[in-house]
Amino acid sequence: MKSTVEQLSPTRVRINVEVPFDELKASFDRAYRKLAKQVRIPGFRPGKAPARVLETRLGRGVVLDEVVNEAIPAKYLEAVNAGEVKTLGRPDIEVTKIEDGQSLEFTAEVDIRPEITVPAFGELAVSVDDVEVTDEDVASQLDELRARFGSLVGVERPADTGDFVSVDLSATVDGNEVEDARTNGLSYEIGSGQLVDGIDEALVGASAGETKSFTTTLVAGEHAGREAAVNVTVQTVKERQLPELDDEFAQLASEFDTLDELKADLQTRLGRVKAMQQGMEARDKVLEALLEATEVPMPETAVDAEIEVRKHDAVHRFEHDEARFAEWLATQDKTVEQFDAETRAESERTVKTQLVLDAIADAEQTTVSDNELTERIVYQAQSFGISPDEYVQRAQQSGQLGAIYADVRRGKALAGVVAQATVTDASGNKVDLDELFGNVNKKDEAEQAEATAE
């Protein structure tokens, strides 16, 4: 087989392939076996008709079509590997010549990963927020802790924000009741924003036994995107009474004997959380600086594929009804054209990020260990509330296992960039991110040393 690669643009190539017929013998054999099972020829058992009989009965063209369809995918991959072409997406294949007994020729146009020149990582500099734990932060944590140990007590007054109410709900769309929206005895904290838009405003000031009405736009179910009339009836109103903030509470809510010890522990925990948030902020800002400093030609098929996924996900909850989706967008003060523009911009950024991090991972020879992949799978499975085995099975069926591997690899590549960038806090102090990102490099060094020893 002969193949050449023709550069059409920074992101697209044409692969020209010529295959001698003597390399197609295996494809011809498989084609004859397949066709023999599909047709019944008098005098021969199913699948046993010889090649010349099949050609006489079906015609040589049918056999050639089967051979071409069977051989091209394999020969295309062979040409891609021979030319070390880093392809993106599916190729557009055109058969340019079939000379029976001589050769098969075809071309394949496909998008590729462009050549990318990234800046020196040490030249990237970003500033992040200071790590500061205030008295207000500690007090907020104490209030949340007190709420967990609080009790609900019925009150004879109108409901207010923060109260817990038991309510009955019903809704109609165009005068027809929405069955999925009907519920009785639902417990709800006013102001939590956990139900439909408008309910918090309707409930404030309502007393037990009172019914309030309001309109809202449904965001799920068969009526997603439609305006619904909602009736909410208050059954009971309860307020949360919090325990006193003293040493006795500290002993109840923690392993500490005094309130001061509990406060000190919360201060330490909040410091760790804010340090982690600072690290995440550094990661995001370094990535943004990296993308701004890197020119990347956009492979259109990759961008179009990302757009298609995002649009599919957006309209899926509206049962792919474009009109209902447009109605919902209108409730968000957004047009379909604005949504399309935003989706394209987000898709281009996603593709650019993937290409840049893949290029860095290749240059740095970043690898992903079995343990690292397993850690990600376990984490993802927990977020979906399923077992790791079931998650892997679903990922394999959907072809997403490779994407998970690639995502972990990109994360490691970005961690390596962040570790080399200059990160300072708002006060001008250099931020040491070794605790968050340094372990990535140390782990890679350890794995390389282990491989060398072997």
Side-chain angles (χ1 to χ4, degrees), residues 374-395 404:
T374 299
E375 286 175 6
R376 174 61 62 88
I377 288 172
V378 170
Y379 173 79
Q380 294 286 84
Q382 289 174 341
S383 67
F384 283 99
I386 60 178
S387 70
D389 288 342
E390 183 179 352
Y391 182 80
V392 169
Q393 186 177 8
R394 290 184 184 182
I404 298 171

PDB file of all heavy atoms in Angstrom, residues 374-395 404:
ATOM      1  N   THR A 374      -8.557   4.926  37.974  1.00  0.00           N
ATOM      2  CA  THR A 374      -9.524   4.337  38.893  1.00  0.00           C
ATOM      3  C   THR A 374     -10.079   5.389  39.846  1.00  0.00           C
ATOM      4  O   THR A 374     -11.284   5.412  40.134  1.00  0.00           O
ATOM      5  CB  THR A 374      -8.880   3.192  39.692  1.00  0.00           C
ATOM      6  OG1 THR A 374      -8.433   2.175  38.794  1.00  0.00           O
ATOM      7  CG2 THR A 374      -9.873   2.590  40.674  1.00  0.00           C
ATOM      8  N   GLU A 375      -9.220   6.263  40.347  1.00  0.00           N
ATOM      9  CA  GLU A 375      -9.667   7.325  41.248  1.00  0.00           C
ATOM     10  C   GLU A 375     -10.728   8.197  40.574  1.00  0.00           C
ATOM     11  O   GLU A 375     -11.740   8.543  41.185  1.00  0.00           O
ATOM     12  CB  GLU A 375      -8.479   8.190  41.681  1.00  0.00           C
ATOM     13  CG  GLU A 375      -7.556   7.515  42.683  1.00  0.00           C
ATOM     14  CD  GLU A 375      -6.333   8.365  42.992  1.00  0.00           C
ATOM     15  OE1 GLU A 375      -6.286   9.525  42.493  1.00  0.00           O
ATOM     16  OE2 GLU A 375      -5.436   7.899  43.705  1.00  0.00           O
ATOM     17  N   ARG A 376     -10.491   8.554  39.305  1.00  0.00           N
ATOM     18  CA  ARG A 376     -11.459   9.384  38.593  1.00  0.00           C
ATOM     19  C   ARG A 376     -12.770   8.631  38.380  1.00  0.00           C
ATOM     20  O   ARG A 376     -13.853   9.202  38.533  1.00  0.00           O
ATOM     21  CB  ARG A 376     -10.879   9.837  37.255  1.00  0.00           C
ATOM     22  CG  ARG A 376     -11.874  10.597  36.363  1.00  0.00           C
ATOM     23  CD  ARG A 376     -12.371  11.875  37.019  1.00  0.00           C
ATOM     24  NE  ARG A 376     -11.288  12.788  37.253  1.00  0.00           N
ATOM     25  CZ  ARG A 376     -10.869  13.687  36.353  1.00  0.00           C
ATOM     26  NH1 ARG A 376     -11.466  13.762  35.183  1.00  0.00           N
ATOM     27  NH2 ARG A 376      -9.888  14.500  36.638  1.00  0.00           N
ATOM     28  N   ILE A 377     -12.672   7.364  38.036  1.00  0.00           N
ATOM     29  CA  ILE A 377     -13.883   6.563  37.802  1.00  0.00           C
ATOM     30  C   ILE A 377     -14.699   6.447  39.083  1.00  0.00           C
ATOM     31  O   ILE A 377     -15.928   6.594  39.069  1.00  0.00           O
ATOM     32  CB  ILE A 377     -13.505   5.174  37.257  1.00  0.00           C
ATOM     33  CG1 ILE A 377     -13.011   5.294  35.806  1.00  0.00           C
ATOM     34  CG2 ILE A 377     -14.688   4.213  37.340  1.00  0.00           C
ATOM     35  CD1 ILE A 377     -12.435   4.019  35.241  1.00  0.00           C
ATOM     36  N   VAL A 378     -14.033   6.204  40.197  1.00  0.00           N
ATOM     37  CA  VAL A 378     -14.735   6.087  41.483  1.00  0.00           C
ATOM     38  C   VAL A 378     -15.417   7.412  41.823  1.00  0.00           C
ATOM     39  O   VAL A 378     -16.583   7.451  42.260  1.00  0.00           O
ATOM     40  CB  VAL A 378     -13.761   5.677  42.604  1.00  0.00           C
ATOM     41  CG1 VAL A 378     -14.433   5.799  43.974  1.00  0.00           C
ATOM     42  CG2 VAL A 378     -13.261   4.251  42.380  1.00  0.00           C
ATOM     43  N   TYR A 379     -14.701   8.513  41.607  1.00  0.00           N
ATOM     44  CA  TYR A 379     -15.263   9.843  41.899  1.00  0.00           C
ATOM     45  C   TYR A 379     -16.483  10.109  41.019  1.00  0.00           C
ATOM     46  O   TYR A 379     -17.526  10.572  41.498  1.00  0.00           O
ATOM     47  CB  TYR A 379     -14.201  10.913  41.669  1.00  0.00           C
ATOM     48  CG  TYR A 379     -14.728  12.326  41.774  1.00  0.00           C
ATOM     49  CD1 TYR A 379     -14.937  12.917  43.019  1.00  0.00           C
ATOM     50  CD2 TYR A 379     -15.025  13.072  40.632  1.00  0.00           C
ATOM     51  CE1 TYR A 379     -15.428  14.217  43.118  1.00  0.00           C
ATOM     52  CE2 TYR A 379     -15.522  14.359  40.726  1.00  0.00           C
ATOM     53  CZ  TYR A 379     -15.710  14.926  41.965  1.00  0.00           C
ATOM     54  OH  TYR A 379     -16.208  16.206  42.063  1.00  0.00           O
ATOM     55  N   GLN A 380     -16.374   9.821  39.721  1.00  0.00           N
ATOM     56  CA  GLN A 380     -17.485  10.049  38.800  1.00  0.00           C
ATOM     57  C   GLN A 380     -18.675   9.160  39.156  1.00  0.00           C
ATOM     58  O   GLN A 380     -19.825   9.594  39.106  1.00  0.00           O
ATOM     59  CB  GLN A 380     -17.042   9.763  37.361  1.00  0.00           C
ATOM     60  CG  GLN A 380     -15.995  10.722  36.811  1.00  0.00           C
ATOM     61  CD  GLN A 380     -16.582  12.073  36.473  1.00  0.00           C
ATOM     62  OE1 GLN A 380     -16.712  12.932  37.342  1.00  0.00           O
ATOM     63  NE2 GLN A 380     -16.951  12.264  35.237  1.00  0.00           N
ATOM     64  N   ALA A 381     -18.390   7.906  39.498  1.00  0.00           N
ATOM     65  CA  ALA A 381     -19.467   6.983  39.855  1.00  0.00           C
ATOM     66  C   ALA A 381     -20.224   7.485  41.085  1.00  0.00           C
ATOM     67  O   ALA A 381     -21.462   7.423  41.144  1.00  0.00           O
ATOM     68  CB  ALA A 381     -18.897   5.589  40.109  1.00  0.00           C
ATOM     69  N   GLN A 382     -19.498   7.986  42.079  1.00  0.00           N
ATOM     70  CA  GLN A 382     -20.132   8.505  43.281  1.00  0.00           C
ATOM     71  C   GLN A 382     -21.024   9.702  42.961  1.00  0.00           C
ATOM     72  O   GLN A 382     -22.108   9.847  43.525  1.00  0.00           O
ATOM     73  CB  GLN A 382     -19.069   8.899  44.311  1.00  0.00           C
ATOM     74  CG  GLN A 382     -18.353   7.713  44.937  1.00  0.00           C
ATOM     75  CD  GLN A 382     -17.215   8.135  45.853  1.00  0.00           C
ATOM     76  OE1 GLN A 382     -16.724   9.264  45.774  1.00  0.00           O
ATOM     77  NE2 GLN A 382     -16.784   7.234  46.715  1.00  0.00           N
ATOM     78  N   SER A 383     -20.572  10.566  42.038  1.00  0.00           N
ATOM     79  CA  SER A 383     -21.366  11.745  41.684  1.00  0.00           C
ATOM     80  C   SER A 383     -22.662  11.359  40.992  1.00  0.00           C
ATOM     81  O   SER A 383     -23.654  12.092  41.062  1.00  0.00           O
ATOM     82  CB  SER A 383     -20.549  12.685  40.786  1.00  0.00           C
ATOM     83  OG  SER A 383     -20.291  12.091  39.528  1.00  0.00           O
ATOM     84  N   PHE A 384     -22.673  10.199  40.308  1.00  0.00           N
ATOM     85  CA  PHE A 384     -23.882   9.723  39.640  1.00  0.00           C
ATOM     86  C   PHE A 384     -24.689   8.766  40.520  1.00  0.00           C
ATOM     87  O   PHE A 384     -25.775   8.316  40.126  1.00  0.00           O
ATOM     88  CB  PHE A 384     -23.531   9.015  38.333  1.00  0.00           C
ATOM     89  CG  PHE A 384     -23.188   9.949  37.200  1.00  0.00           C
ATOM     90  CD1 PHE A 384     -21.868  10.215  36.882  1.00  0.00           C
ATOM     91  CD2 PHE A 384     -24.189  10.566  36.465  1.00  0.00           C
ATOM     92  CE1 PHE A 384     -21.537  11.079  35.853  1.00  0.00           C
ATOM     93  CE2 PHE A 384     -23.867  11.425  35.424  1.00  0.00           C
ATOM     94  CZ  PHE A 384     -22.541  11.695  35.116  1.00  0.00           C
ATOM     95  N   GLY A 385     -24.142   8.426  41.697  1.00  0.00           N
ATOM     96  CA  GLY A 385     -24.843   7.544  42.609  1.00  0.00           C
ATOM     97  C   GLY A 385     -24.920   6.102  42.136  1.00  0.00           C
ATOM     98  O   GLY A 385     -25.894   5.399  42.418  1.00  0.00           O
ATOM     99  N   ILE A 386     -23.903   5.655  41.404  1.00  0.00           N
ATOM    100  CA  ILE A 386     -23.873   4.271  40.919  1.00  0.00           C
ATOM    101  C   ILE A 386     -22.534   3.645  41.294  1.00  0.00           C
ATOM    102  O   ILE A 386     -21.599   4.338  41.719  1.00  0.00           O
ATOM    103  CB  ILE A 386     -24.081   4.190  39.389  1.00  0.00           C
ATOM    104  CG1 ILE A 386     -22.973   4.976  38.660  1.00  0.00           C
ATOM    105  CG2 ILE A 386     -25.458   4.712  39.000  1.00  0.00           C
ATOM    106  CD1 ILE A 386     -23.084   4.899  37.147  1.00  0.00           C
ATOM    107  N   SER A 387     -22.424   2.332  41.118  1.00  0.00           N
ATOM    108  CA  SER A 387     -21.179   1.645  41.442  1.00  0.00           C
ATOM    109  C   SER A 387     -20.137   1.908  40.367  1.00  0.00           C
ATOM    110  O   SER A 387     -20.484   2.183  39.206  1.00  0.00           O
ATOM    111  CB  SER A 387     -21.419   0.137  41.549  1.00  0.00           C
ATOM    112  OG  SER A 387     -21.696  -0.404  40.261  1.00  0.00           O
ATOM    113  N   PRO A 388     -18.838   1.846  40.724  1.00  0.00           N
ATOM    114  CA  PRO A 388     -17.794   2.026  39.719  1.00  0.00           C
ATOM    115  C   PRO A 388     -17.908   1.044  38.562  1.00  0.00           C
ATOM    116  O   PRO A 388     -17.667   1.412  37.398  1.00  0.00           O
ATOM    117  CB  PRO A 388     -16.497   1.814  40.519  1.00  0.00           C
ATOM    118  CG  PRO A 388     -16.856   2.201  41.915  1.00  0.00           C
ATOM    119  CD  PRO A 388     -18.281   1.754  42.091  1.00  0.00           C
ATOM    120  N   ASP A 389     -18.275  -0.211  38.854  1.00  0.00           N
ATOM    121  CA  ASP A 389     -18.412  -1.195  37.777  1.00  0.00           C
ATOM    122  C   ASP A 389     -19.500  -0.797  36.794  1.00  0.00           C
ATOM    123  O   ASP A 389     -19.325  -0.917  35.568  1.00  0.00           O
ATOM    124  CB  ASP A 389     -18.736  -2.577  38.363  1.00  0.00           C
ATOM    125  CG  ASP A 389     -17.541  -3.197  39.075  1.00  0.00           C
ATOM    126  OD1 ASP A 389     -16.408  -2.737  38.825  1.00  0.00           O
ATOM    127  OD2 ASP A 389     -17.738  -4.131  39.875  1.00  0.00           O
ATOM    128  N   GLU A 390     -20.622  -0.324  37.319  1.00  0.00           N
ATOM    129  CA  GLU A 390     -21.711   0.095  36.437  1.00  0.00           C
ATOM    130  C   GLU A 390     -21.302   1.327  35.629  1.00  0.00           C
ATOM    131  O   GLU A 390     -21.633   1.442  34.443  1.00  0.00           O
ATOM    132  CB  GLU A 390     -22.964   0.411  37.256  1.00  0.00           C
ATOM    133  CG  GLU A 390     -24.171   0.788  36.392  1.00  0.00           C
ATOM    134  CD  GLU A 390     -25.415   1.079  37.218  1.00  0.00           C
ATOM    135  OE1 GLU A 390     -25.371   0.843  38.454  1.00  0.00           O
ATOM    136  OE2 GLU A 390     -26.412   1.541  36.632  1.00  0.00           O
ATOM    137  N   TYR A 391     -20.563   2.232  36.273  1.00  0.00           N
ATOM    138  CA  TYR A 391     -20.114   3.432  35.560  1.00  0.00           C
ATOM    139  C   TYR A 391     -19.174   3.057  34.411  1.00  0.00           C
ATOM    140  O   TYR A 391     -19.291   3.595  33.299  1.00  0.00           O
ATOM    141  CB  TYR A 391     -19.403   4.381  36.525  1.00  0.00           C
ATOM    142  CG  TYR A 391     -18.950   5.662  35.867  1.00  0.00           C
ATOM    143  CD1 TYR A 391     -19.837   6.708  35.650  1.00  0.00           C
ATOM    144  CD2 TYR A 391     -17.630   5.811  35.438  1.00  0.00           C
ATOM    145  CE1 TYR A 391     -19.426   7.881  35.037  1.00  0.00           C
ATOM    146  CE2 TYR A 391     -17.213   6.981  34.814  1.00  0.00           C
ATOM    147  CZ  TYR A 391     -18.113   8.011  34.627  1.00  0.00           C
ATOM    148  OH  TYR A 391     -17.699   9.162  34.003  1.00  0.00           O
ATOM    149  N   VAL A 392     -18.247   2.132  34.678  1.00  0.00           N
ATOM    150  CA  VAL A 392     -17.322   1.690  33.626  1.00  0.00           C
ATOM    151  C   VAL A 392     -18.089   1.031  32.489  1.00  0.00           C
ATOM    152  O   VAL A 392     -17.801   1.265  31.303  1.00  0.00           O
ATOM    153  CB  VAL A 392     -16.272   0.710  34.200  1.00  0.00           C
ATOM    154  CG1 VAL A 392     -15.479   0.047  33.078  1.00  0.00           C
ATOM    155  CG2 VAL A 392     -15.321   1.449  35.137  1.00  0.00           C
ATOM    156  N   GLN A 393     -19.077   0.209  32.836  1.00  0.00           N
ATOM    157  CA  GLN A 393     -19.872  -0.465  31.809  1.00  0.00           C
ATOM    158  C   GLN A 393     -20.593   0.551  30.930  1.00  0.00           C
ATOM    159  O   GLN A 393     -20.603   0.433  29.696  1.00  0.00           O
ATOM    160  CB  GLN A 393     -20.885  -1.400  32.463  1.00  0.00           C
ATOM    161  CG  GLN A 393     -21.672  -2.249  31.469  1.00  0.00           C
ATOM    162  CD  GLN A 393     -22.611  -3.227  32.159  1.00  0.00           C
ATOM    163  OE1 GLN A 393     -22.791  -3.176  33.359  1.00  0.00           O
ATOM    164  NE2 GLN A 393     -23.200  -4.119  31.401  1.00  0.00           N
ATOM    165  N   ARG A 394     -21.170   1.574  31.554  1.00  0.00           N
ATOM    166  CA  ARG A 394     -21.856   2.612  30.780  1.00  0.00           C
ATOM    167  C   ARG A 394     -20.866   3.381  29.908  1.00  0.00           C
ATOM    168  O   ARG A 394     -21.171   3.696  28.744  1.00  0.00           O
ATOM    169  CB  ARG A 394     -22.566   3.590  31.726  1.00  0.00           C
ATOM    170  CG  ARG A 394     -23.767   3.005  32.456  1.00  0.00           C
ATOM    171  CD  ARG A 394     -24.448   4.081  33.269  1.00  0.00           C
ATOM    172  NE  ARG A 394     -25.557   3.568  34.064  1.00  0.00           N
ATOM    173  CZ  ARG A 394     -26.334   4.335  34.829  1.00  0.00           C
ATOM    174  NH1 ARG A 394     -26.114   5.639  34.907  1.00  0.00           N
ATOM    175  NH2 ARG A 394     -27.315   3.800  35.531  1.00  0.00           N
ATOM    176  N   ALA A 395     -19.699   3.682  30.460  1.00  0.00           N
ATOM    177  CA  ALA A 395     -18.693   4.434  29.706  1.00  0.00           C
ATOM    178  C   ALA A 395     -18.197   3.635  28.511  1.00  0.00           C
ATOM    179  O   ALA A 395     -17.961   4.184  27.428  1.00  0.00           O
ATOM    180  CB  ALA A 395     -17.516   4.810  30.620  1.00  0.00           C
ATOM    181  N   ILE A 404     -12.551   9.843  29.327  1.00  0.00           N
ATOM    182  CA  ILE A 404     -12.220   9.972  30.746  1.00  0.00           C
ATOM    183  C   ILE A 404     -10.700   9.956  30.926  1.00  0.00           C
ATOM    184  O   ILE A 404     -10.128  10.760  31.668  1.00  0.00           O
ATOM    185  CB  ILE A 404     -12.875   8.838  31.558  1.00  0.00           C
ATOM    186  CG1 ILE A 404     -14.396   8.929  31.449  1.00  0.00           C
ATOM    187  CG2 ILE A 404     -12.436   8.892  33.021  1.00  0.00           C
ATOM    188  CD1 ILE A 404     -15.119   7.744  32.040  1.00  0.00           C
TER     189      ILE A 404
END
